[in-house]
Amino acid sequence: TSALIRFRQRKALKEILISLNPFAGSYNRAIRDINVGLVDDFRTMRLKEESKFNRTGLIRPSTVNKEVAQLVTLMHKLVDHEKIETTPLRRKIPRLEEDNIRNKTLSLEEFNSIRSHLKSPLFEWATVAYYTAMRQGEIMKLCWDEVDLDEGLIYVHGENTKNSLSKTIPIHPELRQLFMEMQKLHRTGRLIRNNGRPVNTYSGNLKLEWNKAIQSAGIKDFHFHDLRHIATNNLRIAGNDLLRIKAIT
Protein backbone atom coordinates (compact mmCIF):
# COMPACT_ATOMS: atom_id res chain seq x y z
CA THR A 1 0.00 0.00 0.00
CA SER A 2 2.77 2.44 0.90
CA ALA A 3 4.52 1.72 -2.41
CA LEU A 4 1.30 2.41 -4.33
CA ILE A 5 0.83 5.70 -2.43
CA ARG A 6 4.37 6.76 -3.32
CA PHE A 7 3.70 5.85 -6.96
CA ARG A 8 0.54 7.96 -7.01
CA GLN A 9 2.37 10.86 -5.37
CA ARG A 10 5.10 10.73 -8.03
CA LYS A 11 2.46 10.49 -10.75
CA ALA A 12 0.58 13.50 -9.32
CA LEU A 13 3.80 15.50 -8.95
CA LYS A 14 4.74 14.81 -12.56
CA GLU A 15 1.33 16.06 -13.74
CA ILE A 16 1.69 19.21 -11.63
CA LEU A 17 5.16 19.98 -12.99
CA ILE A 18 4.04 19.50 -16.60
CA SER A 19 1.07 21.82 -16.09
CA LEU A 20 3.29 24.45 -14.43
CA ASN A 21 5.77 24.64 -17.30
CA PRO A 22 3.86 27.39 -19.21
CA PHE A 23 3.49 29.54 -16.09
CA ALA A 24 7.09 29.07 -14.99
CA GLY A 25 8.31 29.83 -18.50
CA SER A 26 6.39 33.11 -18.59
CA TYR A 27 6.92 34.38 -15.04
CA ASN A 28 10.24 34.11 -13.26
CA ARG A 29 8.84 35.24 -9.90
CA ALA A 30 9.29 34.39 -6.25
CA ILE A 31 6.31 32.60 -4.72
CA ARG A 32 5.48 35.63 -2.54
CA ASP A 33 5.08 37.75 -5.70
CA ILE A 34 2.47 35.47 -7.28
CA ASN A 35 -1.06 36.84 -6.94
CA VAL A 36 -4.52 36.54 -8.51
CA GLY A 37 -3.83 39.45 -10.87
CA LEU A 38 -0.75 37.68 -12.21
CA VAL A 39 -2.78 34.52 -12.74
CA ASP A 40 -5.43 36.51 -14.66
CA ASP A 41 -2.71 37.95 -16.91
CA PHE A 42 -1.35 34.44 -17.47
CA ARG A 43 -4.78 33.11 -18.48
CA THR A 44 -5.32 35.96 -20.93
CA MET A 45 -1.91 35.34 -22.48
CA ARG A 46 -2.38 31.57 -22.73
CA LEU A 47 -5.74 31.83 -24.48
CA LYS A 48 -4.04 33.78 -27.27
CA GLU A 49 -1.29 31.19 -27.81
CA GLU A 50 -1.36 28.61 -30.58
CA SER A 51 -1.89 24.98 -29.61
CA LYS A 52 0.09 22.03 -30.93
CA PHE A 53 -2.88 19.72 -30.39
CA ASN A 54 -6.06 21.75 -30.98
CA ARG A 55 -6.87 21.90 -34.68
CA THR A 56 -8.92 25.07 -34.15
CA GLY A 57 -5.63 26.80 -33.45
CA LEU A 58 -5.59 28.21 -29.89
CA ILE A 59 -5.05 26.87 -26.39
CA ARG A 60 -8.36 25.65 -24.97
CA PRO A 61 -9.96 27.06 -21.80
CA SER A 62 -9.94 23.58 -20.25
CA THR A 63 -6.15 23.44 -20.62
CA VAL A 64 -5.74 26.83 -18.93
CA ASN A 65 -8.12 25.79 -16.13
CA LYS A 66 -6.00 22.70 -15.50
CA GLU A 67 -2.77 24.71 -15.41
CA VAL A 68 -4.19 27.23 -12.92
CA ALA A 69 -5.66 24.45 -10.76
CA GLN A 70 -2.27 22.76 -10.57
CA LEU A 71 -0.65 26.05 -9.57
CA VAL A 72 -3.17 26.45 -6.74
CA THR A 73 -2.61 22.83 -5.71
CA LEU A 74 1.14 23.38 -5.56
CA MET A 75 0.68 26.38 -3.25
CA HIS A 76 -1.46 24.35 -0.85
CA LYS A 77 1.09 21.52 -0.91
CA LEU A 78 3.85 23.96 0.02
CA VAL A 79 1.77 25.11 2.99
CA ASP A 80 1.05 21.51 4.03
CA HIS A 81 4.77 20.72 4.03
CA GLU A 82 5.62 23.97 5.87
CA LYS A 83 7.66 25.37 3.01
CA ILE A 84 5.62 28.58 3.12
CA GLU A 85 3.34 29.94 5.87
CA THR A 86 0.37 30.82 3.69
CA THR A 87 -0.59 30.56 0.04
CA PRO A 88 -0.48 33.77 -1.99
CA LEU A 89 -3.57 32.55 -3.87
CA ARG A 90 -6.03 32.65 -0.99
CA ARG A 91 -8.93 34.01 -3.02
CA LYS A 92 -10.86 31.50 -5.14
CA ILE A 93 -10.05 31.82 -8.83
CA PRO A 94 -13.18 31.27 -10.98
CA ARG A 95 -12.82 28.74 -13.78
CA LEU A 96 -12.99 29.78 -17.40
CA GLU A 97 -16.06 28.58 -19.25
CA GLU A 98 -15.17 25.46 -21.22
CA ASP A 99 -16.74 25.12 -24.64
CA ASN A 100 -14.61 22.33 -26.06
CA ILE A 101 -16.80 19.31 -25.24
CA ARG A 102 -16.73 16.97 -28.22
CA ASN A 103 -19.97 15.13 -29.05
CA LYS A 104 -18.87 12.88 -31.87
CA THR A 105 -20.82 10.04 -33.46
CA LEU A 106 -19.50 7.01 -35.31
CA SER A 107 -21.42 4.07 -36.77
CA LEU A 108 -20.06 0.53 -36.75
CA GLU A 109 -19.69 0.75 -40.54
CA GLU A 110 -17.59 3.91 -40.18
CA PHE A 111 -15.47 2.33 -37.46
CA ASN A 112 -14.84 -0.73 -39.61
CA SER A 113 -13.89 1.58 -42.47
CA ILE A 114 -11.29 3.22 -40.24
CA ARG A 115 -9.96 -0.16 -39.11
CA SER A 116 -9.58 -1.29 -42.70
CA HIS A 117 -6.83 1.31 -43.04
CA LEU A 118 -5.05 0.37 -39.80
CA LYS A 119 -2.38 -2.23 -39.19
CA SER A 120 -1.03 -3.73 -35.98
CA PRO A 121 -0.72 -2.49 -33.26
CA LEU A 122 -3.12 0.39 -33.97
CA PHE A 123 -5.78 -2.00 -35.26
CA GLU A 124 -5.89 -3.86 -31.94
CA TRP A 125 -5.55 -0.65 -29.92
CA ALA A 126 -8.54 0.96 -31.64
CA THR A 127 -10.66 -2.18 -31.35
CA VAL A 128 -10.13 -2.37 -27.59
CA ALA A 129 -10.99 1.33 -27.28
CA TYR A 130 -14.20 0.97 -29.31
CA TYR A 131 -15.53 -1.97 -27.29
CA THR A 132 -14.37 -1.04 -23.76
CA ALA A 133 -14.32 2.81 -23.41
CA MET A 134 -10.83 2.46 -21.97
CA ARG A 135 -8.47 5.40 -22.22
CA GLN A 136 -5.60 5.34 -24.66
CA GLY A 137 -2.96 4.98 -21.92
CA GLU A 138 -4.93 2.28 -20.11
CA ILE A 139 -5.00 0.15 -23.24
CA MET A 140 -1.30 0.70 -23.88
CA LYS A 141 -0.45 -0.59 -20.37
CA LEU A 142 -3.01 -3.42 -20.37
CA CYS A 143 -1.40 -6.79 -19.58
CA TRP A 144 -2.60 -10.33 -20.18
CA ASP A 145 -2.92 -11.01 -16.44
CA GLU A 146 -5.71 -8.41 -16.43
CA VAL A 147 -7.68 -10.28 -19.11
CA ASP A 148 -9.84 -13.25 -18.13
CA LEU A 149 -11.35 -14.80 -21.26
CA ASP A 150 -13.09 -17.54 -19.27
CA GLU A 151 -14.96 -15.00 -17.14
CA GLY A 152 -15.24 -12.58 -20.04
CA LEU A 153 -13.82 -9.68 -18.03
CA ILE A 154 -10.95 -7.20 -18.08
CA TYR A 155 -9.61 -6.18 -14.67
CA VAL A 156 -7.81 -2.84 -15.00
CA HIS A 157 -5.38 -2.13 -12.15
CA GLY A 158 -5.75 1.22 -10.39
CA GLU A 159 -2.10 2.12 -10.94
CA ASN A 160 -2.82 2.37 -14.68
CA THR A 161 -6.03 4.43 -14.52
CA LYS A 162 -6.38 8.21 -14.53
CA ASN A 163 -8.12 8.35 -11.14
CA SER A 164 -6.10 5.45 -9.63
CA LEU A 165 -9.28 3.35 -9.23
CA SER A 166 -9.49 -0.25 -10.43
CA LYS A 167 -12.35 -1.21 -12.73
CA THR A 168 -13.91 -4.28 -14.32
CA ILE A 169 -14.96 -4.26 -17.98
CA PRO A 170 -17.00 -6.94 -19.82
CA ILE A 171 -15.40 -8.35 -22.97
CA HIS A 172 -17.47 -7.96 -26.14
CA PRO A 173 -17.68 -11.15 -28.28
CA GLU A 174 -15.77 -9.56 -31.16
CA LEU A 175 -13.11 -8.34 -28.75
CA ARG A 176 -12.84 -11.84 -27.27
CA GLN A 177 -12.18 -13.22 -30.75
CA LEU A 178 -9.47 -10.63 -31.28
CA PHE A 179 -7.85 -11.50 -27.93
CA MET A 180 -7.79 -15.18 -28.88
CA GLU A 181 -6.01 -14.32 -32.13
CA MET A 182 -3.53 -12.12 -30.27
CA GLN A 183 -2.77 -14.89 -27.78
CA LYS A 184 -1.40 -17.00 -30.61
CA LEU A 185 1.54 -14.59 -30.70
CA HIS A 186 2.08 -13.97 -26.98
CA ARG A 187 0.27 -14.69 -23.70
CA THR A 188 2.26 -12.70 -21.14
CA GLY A 189 3.14 -9.08 -20.55
CA ARG A 190 1.58 -6.23 -22.51
CA LEU A 191 -1.19 -6.81 -25.07
CA ILE A 192 -0.31 -3.92 -27.34
CA ARG A 193 2.97 -4.70 -29.09
CA ASN A 194 4.74 -3.52 -32.20
CA ASN A 195 6.92 -6.17 -33.79
CA GLY A 196 6.91 -8.08 -30.51
CA ARG A 197 7.89 -5.12 -28.34
CA PRO A 198 5.58 -3.27 -25.92
CA VAL A 199 4.37 0.10 -27.24
CA ASN A 200 5.15 3.03 -24.95
CA THR A 201 3.71 5.98 -26.87
CA TYR A 202 0.94 6.82 -29.31
CA SER A 203 2.71 9.84 -30.76
CA GLY A 204 4.82 9.84 -33.91
CA ASN A 205 4.15 7.23 -36.57
CA LEU A 206 1.10 5.74 -34.85
CA LYS A 207 -0.66 9.10 -34.58
CA LEU A 208 0.23 9.79 -38.21
CA GLU A 209 -1.21 6.40 -39.22
CA TRP A 210 -4.44 7.18 -37.34
CA ASN A 211 -4.83 10.55 -39.08
CA LYS A 212 -4.26 8.95 -42.49
CA ALA A 213 -6.85 6.24 -41.71
CA ILE A 214 -9.41 8.86 -40.72
CA GLN A 215 -8.77 10.76 -43.93
CA SER A 216 -8.95 7.59 -46.06
CA ALA A 217 -12.25 6.62 -44.40
CA GLY A 218 -13.69 10.03 -45.29
CA ILE A 219 -14.29 11.03 -41.66
CA LYS A 220 -13.50 14.57 -40.51
CA ASP A 221 -12.14 15.71 -37.16
CA PHE A 222 -12.19 12.43 -35.27
CA HIS A 223 -9.54 11.81 -32.61
CA PHE A 224 -8.52 8.46 -31.16
CA HIS A 225 -9.81 9.59 -27.76
CA ASP A 226 -13.28 10.10 -29.29
CA LEU A 227 -13.59 6.30 -29.36
CA ARG A 228 -14.04 6.45 -25.58
CA HIS A 229 -17.10 8.66 -26.02
CA ILE A 230 -18.46 6.39 -28.75
CA ALA A 231 -18.02 3.28 -26.57
CA THR A 232 -19.71 4.99 -23.61
CA ASN A 233 -22.64 5.98 -25.79
CA ASN A 234 -22.90 2.43 -27.17
CA LEU A 235 -23.10 1.11 -23.60
CA ARG A 236 -26.02 3.44 -22.98
CA ILE A 237 -27.80 2.41 -26.20
CA ALA A 238 -27.34 -1.25 -25.23
CA GLY A 239 -29.47 -0.62 -22.14
CA ASN A 240 -26.85 -0.36 -19.40
CA ASP A 241 -27.85 1.88 -16.49
CA LEU A 242 -25.77 4.90 -15.51
CA LEU A 243 -24.19 3.25 -12.47
CA ARG A 244 -22.95 0.30 -14.54
CA ILE A 245 -21.61 2.63 -17.25
CA LYS A 246 -19.82 4.69 -14.61
CA ALA A 247 -18.27 1.56 -13.10
CA ILE A 248 -17.02 0.44 -16.52
CA THR A 249 -15.67 3.82 -17.62
Side-chain angles (χ1 to χ4, degrees), residues 175-235:
L175 189 57
R176 186 179 189 279
Q177 184 62 38
L178 175 65
F179 284 162
M180 293 176 65
E181 292 296 323
M182 293 171 67
Q183 281 191 339
K184 294 178 181 179
L185 299 177
H186 55 90
R187 291 175 172 266
T188 59
R190 297 263 196 95
L191 270 74
I192 304 301
R193 294 170 176 262
N194 192 6
N195 294 323
R197 297 181 179 180
V199 178
N200 294 314
T201 181
Y202 167 76
S203 61
N205 291 335
L206 291 179
K207 186 174 183 179
L208 181 62
E209 181 185 344
W210 174 263
N211 291 336
K212 287 182 178 179
I214 293 298
Q215 185 177 9
S216 299
I219 299 173
K220 296 182 179 180
D221 189 26
F222 192 88
H223 302 169
F224 188 98
H225 183 74
D226 291 328
L227 290 173
R228 175 172 163 81
H229 169 77
I230 300 301
T232 302
N233 192 47
N234 287 342
L235 287 170

Side-chain angles (χ1 to χ4, degrees), residues 101-132:
I101 299 176
R102 296 172 59 84
N103 293 313
K104 307 299 292 185
T105 59
L106 189 76
S107 66
L108 179 59
E109 291 73 19
E110 289 174 321
F111 175 62
N112 285 332
S113 178
I114 294 173
R115 287 200 303 175
S116 68
H117 300 285
L118 298 176
K119 58 179 183 293
S120 184
L122 204 50
F123 179 92
E124 295 86 354
W125 206 338
T127 303
V128 176
Y130 182 82
Y131 286 110
T132 66

Side-chain angles (χ1 to χ4, degrees), residues 23 27 29 33-45 71 88-93:
F23 186 87
Y27 300 100
R29 303 289 185 90
D33 296 329
I34 297 175
N35 52 51
V36 174
L38 192 67
V39 173
D40 281 339
D41 291 341
F42 168 74
R43 296 197 302 184
T44 301
M45 177 194 68
L71 177 63
L89 299 176
R90 284 169 287 186
R91 196 177 82 199
K92 184 176 180 179
I93 302 174

Side-chain angles (χ1 to χ4, degrees), residues 114-151:
I114 294 173
R115 287 200 303 175
S116 68
H117 300 285
L118 298 176
K119 58 179 183 293
S120 184
L122 204 50
F123 179 92
E124 295 86 354
W125 206 338
T127 303
V128 176
Y130 182 82
Y131 286 110
T132 66
M134 290 175 65
R135 293 182 174 87
Q136 189 181 95
E138 293 171 352
I139 300 171
M140 180 179 67
K141 297 175 183 177
L142 185 64
C143 293
W144 282 112
D145 62 5
E146 297 174 283
V147 177
D148 190 330
L149 292 181
D150 293 331
E151 293 291 334

